[in-house]
Amino acid sequence: MRAVPTWIDRVHDREKVEQCIYDIAFKPDGTQLIVATGNRVLVYDTSDGTLIQPLKGHRDTVYCVAYAKDGKRFASGSTDKSIIIWTSKLEGILKYTHNDSIQCIAYNPVTHQLASCSSSDFGLWSPEQKSVSKHKVNSKITCCSWTNDGQYLAIGLFSGVVSIRSKSGEEKVRIERPGGVPIWSICWNPSKDEHTDILAVADWGQRLSFYQLSGKQIGKDRALNFDPCCISYFTKGEYIVMGGSDKQVSLYTKDGVRLGSIGEQQSWVWTCRVKPDSNYVVVGCQDGTIAFYQIIFSTVHGLYKDRYAYRDSMTDVIVQHLITEQKVRIRCRELVKKIAIYKNRLAIQLPEKILIYELFSEDNTDMHYRVKEKIAKKFECNLLVVCSQHLILCLEKRLQCLSFSGVKEREWLMESLIRYIKVIGGPSGREGLLVGLKNGQILKIFVDNPFAIVLLKQATSVRCLDMSTSRNKLAVVDEHNTCLVYDISTKELLFQEPNANSVAWNTQCEDMLCFSGGGFLNIKASNFPVHQQKLQGFVVGYNGSKIFCLHVYAMSAVEVPQSAPMYQYLEKKMYKEAYQIACLGVTENDWRDLAIEALEGMDFDTAKKAFIRVRDLRYLELISSIEERKKHGENDNELFLADVYAYQGKFHEAAKLYKKTGNNSRALNMYTDLRMFDYAKDFLGSGDPKDTKMLITKQADWARNINEPKAAAEMYLSAGEHLKAIEIIGDHGWVDMLIDVARKLDKAEREPLSRCAYFLKKLQHPGYAAETYMKMGDLEAQVLLHVETRHWEEAFSLVDKHPQFKDIVYVPYAQWLAENDQFEEAQKAFHKAGRQDEAVKVLEQLTHNAVLESRFNDAAYYYWMLSMQCLDIARAEKQLEMLKKFHHFQHLAELYHAYHSIQRYTDEPFSSHLPEALFNISRFLLHNLTKETPLGISKVNTLYALAKQSKALGAYKLARYAYDKLQGLRIPARFQESIDLGSLTIRSKPFHDSEEFVPMCYRCSTNNPLLNNQGNVCINCRQPFVFSASSYGEEMPECPGEGKDRRGPTTPGGLNRCGTTCTQNKPDAGVPVRGGRRDWECTSGWAICDHRDCRGRFLRQPAGL
């Protein structure tokens, strides 16, 4: 940091007496300077210090001036107790007074309210107010300052108190400084980045303190060693300038750390101000001196590869990783004078010491530093360099090597001033240094060697140096901005380039360097011409495709494509060198160009690596195939080049090379694959007919792929590819064309004819399909066609002529009938097809469904049909198992037929049966349910019906038995109340049954109980009872014959239960009911056997079945 005087002026009165400069204010745009001196207000031009105009309006000394933030007006305050408001045109427009002399004034930065402070009070004025609101204070006011938001005004008092007031004048916070030392200057930090408002307070106890808006002190007081008279912040609040009795203006950080002196004066400094948004500072002194300085902040930094360390805010060091953009801040809290960085070491020189840091780990991306050593000595040096174990200090002609403990190990004395020094690497503790002198000498020094090695000497002074990675070449920028490149071993000048201010070798490529100058970046590869592009700043490093550029105070990594040097190598057919350059960083198009050029140049290795970069699988497959062919002994480069041309789209050149090498088929395949059929025909000429046919076929394939199916089908037909043509015709539904093809085909071409028939059938033209099958002579296909299309009559007619197809017709026919609910016809069809199992299965499923749906009458019918089916099978095949099934299904038919009446009685509101019939049916069912209960038949319903009817007919004992049985069963809710009531009321009835309902055995004349545990047989003779199918009310006598079947045919000639053949079945007129009554029941469902030994009754087919 250094201060450069821009202009200086000294103010005198008419008698040449020096006038003290009490206050200064800048116009917000920085173009004018308002100065309070004597009884005048002076206006200066800040650019050159010209006095624009003196303003007279006060009668006594002017102590203070202030400019409004909007730049429209400024104010001045004087010991004459008055405040004058001036316009930016330097015209006075308003004046108001206080009771005492004016000490300080300040404009609100937001509302433009003016605070004017006298010795005993302060006033608040704004253009909108008609009067000034004034507030008394108990001590003399010395200074004041507004916060950034204009909400609060801080007032410094002679009593050592800081009073923070609202913009209405009310005191909010009071800060009482210890000792009561006068507060002489205060200022709020104008930074907008701070989270809270910070007030800097300087008192004549020679202390600098910082406070928050709440009154809480920040940190400790800082000793100044002088009496401060003025304090001012830079516009962004990063620095403070302060002056006073030490006759100089000093620069401080925002935390109060002194950085240095701006300018020494001959008398006390009463005021100092920073020009808005700049690094200019103006100083006003007691002897009338006005000095205008420019503050120049020098760049303190260090660079090693991709790590850049630089000074920030004068006291901090920021280490930036240029690749990952990571940053770490190291707070030193003192002025940072020098920075050096090398590998994992970082050296920071402070005014009284040097700190040496190291990385926590060896990770290249680690950014955590810790203090390794501390050298508590004051050093003066021009340049600082750090190595793994040493510090190198440069002071004019002398180089000193220090250990990290501060011990000087060796020293080198040069012939001339040292202009440049750089660490070029080496083993730890034995690193090499590259040193450039003002006399043009370039040396290499090893830190463990006391003798310097002269590399070369040139006539001009060295400005910048760099050595290539192989240590074979040296690049030098001299004082004439010329970049010179030498061969170190021969000392030969290889080339030179003008307009250079810095140079750097590429750390990843030996033959590439870059240099900057004149606003351009220059990249040079080998001996090729320089490639230029615009770039602001200095080149300090070159790594791969990244160039590290320092512009003003910022370091940036610029990504530079290496396209230009790569193409320079390609022009010379230097493919491997071009690939090395491309690896540093080029665009994808550059990679592709490199790959193509190398491929055409037959450098397959380079081409392969380049195509891998762009992930071009097509060319990689080509290269792989060429390499395989070369392994198998094929070495015709012209043929390889033809393949390359074909891949590149240079088809005619490829065809010429194919023809030249005798590979005409490859050229033909290439043209046909590319659908260039005209070129293929021209290439083919009048060749082999097979090739012509192949060409037509490929053209048809192409027409098919481009969605021109009709043309493709015609081409296939002309080429004899009937199947492909038929597929296209059939897929598009062209029936007429398909019929025409089928009729033209020979009957020996079965596969094409079969596909024609298939598509005709699919397109709903079974007649033409049948015609095609007939042409082929395929009878089975015709039958299957009729079956699939449900043309049963045609199918049956063919079966009549060809019985061998019976199965493939009748089985689908039966299935179709079953699907359409024509089960009886389906059964017949199954019979005809000889599928007895299927017929039985259909009936079983129907029966099961009827039971599940509570259609018990239908279930009885289906079981009867099942029994007849089983009887037929038993007669035909003499199967005993089927005979057992016949008896079982007959039994189930009787049960479901009987339960149908019970179910209707319990589930429907009305019943068509008499109580006696329901009574007898219930008994019949219960006698047959002693062993097992068929699916769907409910014992609860049966017992419920029996209980109700027994109670109604006077069979009380049986009713009580039924109710007792019901209590042990799970009763539906709808019967619960009725059953509970019946169970109670039956207890009031006699415990016996009416005798008229007691059954009698016709064989042994034994009276049987109403409920018999042995079932429907006599308890004495075990003779089974036979009941009427309509009322189940009269037990029929059993025939004493051998036959066990109770049911017989209903026509003469049938088999009776006695085993004889009826000659005539006589319908029974009726059966008298026992008990003395002559009621007759219709028993038309029964027949009487006319055999002389039998005369028994047998059951006809039940009514309705």
Side-chain angles (χ1 to χ4, degrees), residues 26 59 64 71 128 191 277 339 450 454 509 523-524 528 602 680 687 691 744 771 849 868 919 962 1061:
F26 277 99
R59 298 188 302 275
C64 49
E128 296 82 14
S191 173
D277 300 317
I339 299 173
V454 178
C509 183
I523 300 175
K524 186 172 179 66
F528 297 119
M602 297 292 120
D691 292 336
K744 287 181 179 179
E771 177 186 333
N849 292 344
M868 293 298 105
F919 174 75
T1061 302

Side-chain angles (χ1 to χ4, degrees), residues 308-321:
Y308 176 60
Y310 61 94
R311 182 176 68 182
D312 185 60
S313 300
M314 304 297 285
T315 60
D316 295 347
V317 174
I318 294 179
V319 183
Q320 176 184 359
H321 197 291

